[in-house]
Amino acid sequence: MLMFSALVFLLAGLVKGVLGMGLPTVAMGLLALVMTPAEAAAQLLIPSMLTNLWQLFAGPALAGLLRRLWPMLAGICVGTLLGARWLVGSDAGWIAGALGAMLACYGLLGLSARRFGVPPRQEVWLSPLVGLATGLVTGATGVFVIPAVPYLQALRLDKEDLIQALGLSFSVSTLALGAGLLHHGALQATDLGRSLVMLAPAMLGLGLGQWLRHRLSEALFRRLFFIGLIVLGIHLIIEALLP
């Protein structure tokens, strides 16, 4: 079990290092094969938090992103605390399947020539709604992607700003998910111990992935980013359909 978990976090960290996302999605999907979703979510807390902080503080524009994105971040906190009871108390397989379908569709759209954007005047009301929806999905599935990632992509940030914005969003989501699990009695000291052990393979994978990412062109990065969304989406759909 320990070796399997370590390999899962090495792979999840590698994916995150290249794409700036994917650690919770990969880890939750694979760990759920051998443990409950709540146990898997508890195990990913420390690797997710610290890899997100590494990603966050490696970027160039933290203060500006905080000023721009704080309504979305506040919405994430509220939504995650409300939605965590679904992850702890019931089977949320259908939610994960729907999430996977949205991810795959968005990835396919991203690979097309069409690009979406959010006018600055719409950010005022759209940002908190996106945050609330992201939080509800995070609470139900342990995955931090939809709709925050498409929204951040639509803001037309450059590659490094996008990676930092993802790290900021995921850091807040991880803290909120931990608070939700703790509130519902699904987070124990032993869970945090196992989570701490998984930090080493996750950080190793992250470092390897970042090394690869800095050697990619902007166009290739975008292509891999959207292909990664499709792969992660299909993975979630398959997991939801399996008995």
Side-chain angles (χ1 to χ4, degrees):
M1 177 79 75
L2 184 63
M3 182 60 68
F4 176 77
S5 295
L7 290 174
V8 166
F9 277 99
L10 179 66
L11 174 62
L14 179 64
V15 171
K16 181 177 179 61
V18 173
L19 301 180
M21 52 165 283
L23 188 148
T25 310
V26 173
M28 285 291 294
L30 294 177
L31 291 176
L33 296 174
V34 296
M35 62 186 70
T36 68
E39 290 171 335
Q43 194 165 125
L44 70 82
L45 287 177
I46 292 177
S48 179
M49 189 69 240
L50 292 186
T51 54
N52 285 326
L53 288 175
W54 183 356
Q55 177 178 328
L56 171 62
F57 289 110
L62 177 57
L65 288 173
L66 279 171
R67 287 192 298 270
R68 186 174 184 179
L69 299 177
W70 73 263
M72 184 187 79
L73 302 176
I76 286 173
C77 292
V78 174
T80 303
L81 292 173
L82 291 174
R85 68 182 186 276
W86 294 327
L87 181 66
V88 173
S90 64
D91 180 14
W94 69 270
I95 298 176
L99 171 63
M102 288 188 287
L103 273 176
C105 289
Y106 178 70
L108 289 170
L109 284 173
L111 288 177
S112 69
R114 188 172 184 181
R115 295 197 61 185
F116 296 92
V118 175
R121 65 182 181 277
Q122 294 184 5
E123 289 185 44
V124 175
W125 62 268
L126 190 55
S127 187
L129 293 180
V130 167
L132 181 63
T134 301
L136 290 172
V137 173
T138 296
T141 67
V143 177
F144 315 147
V145 177
I146 291 291
V149 169
Y151 175 73
L152 292 173
Q153 183 73 15
L155 296 181
R156 304 288 180 86
L157 303 169
D158 65 31
K159 181 172 73 172
E160 293 306 316
D161 284 352
L162 175 60
I163 292 296
Q164 188 173 29
L166 290 172
L168 177 60
S169 173
F170 297 159
S171 295
V172 172
S173 295
T174 303
L175 286 172
L177 180 61
L181 292 173
L182 184 64
H183 176 71
H184 291 284
L187 184 61
Q188 309 297 327
T190 53
D191 296 321
L192 293 178
R194 287 191 290 268
S195 184
L196 182 62
V197 171
M198 292 302 110
L199 178 60
M203 295 297 283
L204 176 60
L206 178 68
L208 291 172
Q210 288 183 329
W211 181 84
L212 288 173
R213 189 182 80 236
H214 290 309
R215 284 152 181 80
L216 300 176
S217 67
E218 185 83 22
L220 181 56
F221 169 78
R222 281 180 51 80
R223 194 174 304 117
L224 289 176
F225 182 86
F226 288 117
I227 290 173
L229 289 181
I230 295 170
V231 172
L232 294 174
I234 293 172
H235 173 74
L236 283 173
I237 293 170
I238 293 172
E239 288 296 319
L241 293 177
L242 289 176

